[in-house]
């Protein structure tokens, strides 16, 4: 029981990530009752909007109505839209028609992460986090260090974000979506894996052998988008310097260790927007010097 409590945020992240994938899988499968000139029958289909069925549809029963669509655009209970802000912006600058429910989903997502959760999408929702976490675990077990001579600035992901928007405007297509490994992995799990697995494998090898948290921390424009959205969000990590023994275990485990520059120095909240709110630092701290906080608690 103590081990479960010690890893409570890790367990929460996995439950949310796997639970969301499970709901998408259930929400995109349906049982159709069909009639053709010979018989009436039932047929299982996946993503009915892209399926060809033989016969007239008498009825459709989704396995779940909780969550349908994909990470770029989904609906909760078939009513509440949720839109990936970065994908929506790419579509907009590309000159595409952005429907009202797409903008509404955009506002809902931006509102939730902007007001409350910050960059938590990367830690609790994005399926690539499972890949990068596994690579980081292997790096620690195998004692691997960053490849010598590799120095990729963390600010590169903001450059990739801007470049993707510029290319989307020039070529009139959502530029990053054509190579988006997050969507590729998600759609692969829900609808069946294709060539997108190659991009996911490259990210895993890059994070394992070249640079810790290399893709998410240095390159991913989706992470950059949620960092900007959540810059002033309420959910924060708070450090209590009077409890800290400077063991630095939090620095070792953190995928964005630069955000913990106050460790052992001052009692403040983590204010850098790159913080994932993943809770890893809270879990490993044996000094009770780190915890989640809300509403700008004072020292």
């Amino acid at each position: 029981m103590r081990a479960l409590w010690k890893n409570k945020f890790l367990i929460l992240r996995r439950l949310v990530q796997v639970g969301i994938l499970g709901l998408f899988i259930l929400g995109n499968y349906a049982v159709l009752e069909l009639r053709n000139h010979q018989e009436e029958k039932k047929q299982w289909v996946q993503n009915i909007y892209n399926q060809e069925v033989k016969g007239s549809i008498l009825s459709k029963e989704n396995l779940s109505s909780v969550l349908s669509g994909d990470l770029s655009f989904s609906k909760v209970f078939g009513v509440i839209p949720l839109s990936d802000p970065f994908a929506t912006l790419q579509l907009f600058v590309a000159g595409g028609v952005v429907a009202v429910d797409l903008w509404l989903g955009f506002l809902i997502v931006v509102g939730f992460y902007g007001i409350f959760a910050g960059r938590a999408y990367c830690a609790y929702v994005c399926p690539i986090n499972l890949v990068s976490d596994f690579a980081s675990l292997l790096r620690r077990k195998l004692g691997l260090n960053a490849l010598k001579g590799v120095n990729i600035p963390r600010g590169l992901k903001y450059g990739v974000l801007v470049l993707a928007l510029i290319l989307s405007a020039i070529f009139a297509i959502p530029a990053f979506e054509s190579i988006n490994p997050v969507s590729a992995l998600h759609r692969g799990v829900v609808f069946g894996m294709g060539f997108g697995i190659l991009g996911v494998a490259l990210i895993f090898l890059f994070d394992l052998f070249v640079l810790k948290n290399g893709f998410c921390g240095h390159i991913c424009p989706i992470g950059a988008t949620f960092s900007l959205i959540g810059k002033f969000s309420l959910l924060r990590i708070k450090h209590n310097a009077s409890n800290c023994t400077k063991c630095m275990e939090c620095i070792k485990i953190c995928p964005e260790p630069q955000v913990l520059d106050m460790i052992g120095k001052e009692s403040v909240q983590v204010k850098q927007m790159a913080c994932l709110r993943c809770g890893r630092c809270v879990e490993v701290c044996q000094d009770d010097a780190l915890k989640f906080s809300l509403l700008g608690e004072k020292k």
Side-chain angles (χ1 to χ4, degrees):
M1 197 66 185
R2 180 176 296 180
L4 291 178
W5 182 250
K6 180 182 177 183
N7 297 290
K8 55 185 177 294
F9 295 116
L10 171 63
I11 295 171
L12 178 61
R13 290 200 308 276
R14 295 297 176 259
L15 286 176
V16 174
Q17 288 164 333
V18 175
I20 288 175
L21 287 173
L23 289 174
F24 270 121
I25 291 172
L26 293 176
N28 284 285
Y29 279 83
V31 180
L32 301 183
E33 188 177 1
L34 300 172
R35 174 189 292 162
N36 57 32
H37 65 281
Q38 293 179 327
E39 60 180 347
E40 291 185 3
K41 64 178 182 178
K42 289 189 175 181
Q43 179 180 332
W44 288 66
V45 297
Q46 176 190 43
N47 191 12
I48 186 173
Y49 301 107
N50 297 327
Q51 289 281 330
E52 291 185 2
V53 296
K54 295 180 179 179
S56 302
I57 299 177
L58 299 179
S59 66
K60 186 193 81 170
E61 184 176 350
N62 279 68
L63 298 188
S64 170
S65 61
V66 177
L67 198 55
S68 59
D70 55 38
L71 282 180
S72 296
F73 180 72
S74 58
K75 280 194 174 181
V76 180
F77 298 116
V79 177
I80 304 172
L82 299 174
S83 306
D84 173 2
F86 183 49
T88 306
L89 289 176
Q90 287 179 83
L91 181 61
F92 176 70
V93 299
V97 176
V98 183
V100 173
D101 58 348
L102 208 62
W103 279 123
L104 180 58
F106 173 90
L107 293 175
I108 291 173
V109 172
V110 169
F112 175 72
Y113 290 100
I115 295 173
F116 175 69
R119 197 186 163 191
Y121 173 92
C122 299
Y124 290 86
V125 178
C126 180
I128 289 293
N129 178 261
L130 295 164
V131 178
S132 60
D133 271 9
F134 184 49
S136 294
L137 176 64
L138 285 182
R139 283 179 68 91
R140 293 196 298 273
K141 296 293 184 184
L142 299 174
L144 298 176
N145 296 313
L147 203 64
K148 290 184 178 178
V150 175
N151 183 21
I152 302 175
R154 291 185 180 273
L156 177 64
K157 57 181 175 286
Y158 300 103
V160 176
L161 187 160
V162 173
L163 178 62
L165 293 176
I166 292 173
L167 292 177
S168 297
I170 293 174
F171 295 105
I173 59 169
F176 185 73
E177 293 311 295
S178 58
I179 58 169
N180 186 348
V182 177
S183 295
L185 179 57
H186 177 265
R187 288 170 180 156
V189 172
V190 176
F191 303 117
M193 196 66 72
F195 288 109
I197 190 63
L198 297 177
V200 177
L202 286 175
I203 289 173
F204 173 74
L205 295 174
F206 182 67
D207 280 15
L208 179 60
F209 294 112
V210 179
L211 191 61
K212 175 189 173 185
N213 199 39
F215 177 75
C216 299
H218 299 254
I219 298 173
C220 181
I222 300 173
T225 304
F226 278 99
S227 293
L228 293 169
I229 290 172
K231 181 176 174 59
F232 301 106
S233 61
L234 298 176
L235 183 65
R236 303 274 173 170
I237 297 293
K238 184 182 180 183
H239 176 240
N240 185 342
S242 61
N243 289 355
C244 181
T245 58
K246 301 181 183 179
C247 67
M248 299 300 165
E249 291 299 319
C250 53
I251 301 288
K252 295 175 187 175
I253 198 72
C254 180
E256 300 278 0
Q258 78 280 3
V259 308
L260 296 175
D261 55 356
M262 82 296 291
I263 295 298
K265 300 174 185 174
E266 55 182 337
S267 298
V268 294
Q269 290 182 319
V270 174
K271 296 180 179 177
Q272 294 193 39
M273 59 185 179
C275 177
L276 274 67
R277 283 76 167 172
C278 60
R280 292 179 179 87
C281 58
V282 179
E283 288 176 338
V284 300
C285 183
Q286 301 296 314
D287 304 324
D288 196 26
L290 291 162
K291 65 177 183 179
F292 279 103
S293 71
L294 283 171
L295 301 175
E297 296 176 31
K298 303 297 183 184
K299 296 180 182 180

